[in-house]
């Protein structure tokens, strides 16, 4: 196969734009999806890829992917793009009542602050925060 299908290129473009999870950098959505599309579309003769089948378990290799139609794959790529473009939060914005509940109006602000601080926190600081 000299060239990859258009679906493959769409997947690669979407995954290149996907943000890295700073809370779990060892678990990469991009890597999982790249392995899946490499398995689905097969390695290209002209392109070198980072896909290494020896890294997969025997169980995974024994389970071939079911062939899917190009239109079904394009729908899945469209879903990836919809998350990247934040379509759903634009279409269904959250009201202030939801974001500032009466019981704890600062709850979501605290959650965001915690998520921003967590990747840079030391182990000792994590233990101290558990005691608080």
């Amino acid at each position: 196969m000299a060239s990859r299908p258009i679906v493959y290129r769409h997947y690669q473009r979407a995954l290149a734009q996907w943000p890295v999870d700073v809370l779990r950098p060892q678990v990469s959505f991009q890597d999982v999806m790249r392995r899946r599309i490499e398995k689905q579309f097969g390695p290209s003769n002209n392109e070198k890829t980072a896909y290494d089948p020896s890294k997969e378990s025997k169980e995974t290799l024994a389970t071939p992917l079911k062939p899917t139609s190009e239109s079904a794959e394009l729908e899945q790529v469209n879903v990836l793009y919809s998350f990247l473009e934040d379509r759903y939060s634009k279409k269904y914005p959250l009201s202030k009542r939801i974001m500032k509940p009466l019981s704890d109006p600062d709850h979501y602000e605290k959650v965001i602050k915690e998520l921003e601080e967590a990747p840079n926190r030391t182990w000792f600081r994590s233990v101290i925060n558990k005691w608080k």
Side-chain angles (χ1 to χ4, degrees), residues 22-23 112-122 126 129:
V22 293
L23 292 177
I112 290 170
K113 182 181 176 192
E114 179 70 21
L115 289 174
E116 289 171 349
E117 291 175 358
N120 302 322
R121 187 176 298 139
T122 64
S126 297
N129 284 349

Side-chain angles (χ1 to χ4, degrees), residues 60-100:
T60 306
L61 291 173
T63 312
L65 291 176
K66 296 177 185 173
T68 58
S69 69
E70 186 173 355
S71 63
E73 289 291 333
L74 283 172
E75 285 178 23
Q76 291 182 15
V77 170
N78 187 33
V79 170
L80 283 177
Y81 281 127
S82 71
F83 287 130
L84 282 170
E85 296 166 1
D86 222 6
R87 287 183 207 163
Y88 304 106
S89 66
K90 292 174 185 172
K91 188 173 182 178
Y92 307 104
L94 297 175
S95 70
K96 289 186 179 181
R97 279 182 55 197
I98 292 176
M99 295 306 293
K100 295 197 178 270

Side-chain angles (χ1 to χ4, degrees), residues 2 10-11 28-29 33 43 55 77 81 83 95 109 121 130:
H10 277 296
Y11 269 123
S28 172
F29 174 74
M33 285 301 295
K55 291 182 180 177
V77 170
Y81 281 127
F83 287 130
S95 70
E109 291 170 9
R121 187 176 298 139
K130 285 180 185 178

Side-chain angles (χ1 to χ4, degrees), residues 28-43:
S28 172
F29 174 74
Q30 296 94 323
D31 290 344
V32 171
M33 285 301 295
R34 283 191 180 103
R35 283 195 300 269
R36 179 200 169 272
I37 62 174
E38 287 294 330
K39 192 173 180 183
Q40 180 75 30
F41 298 108

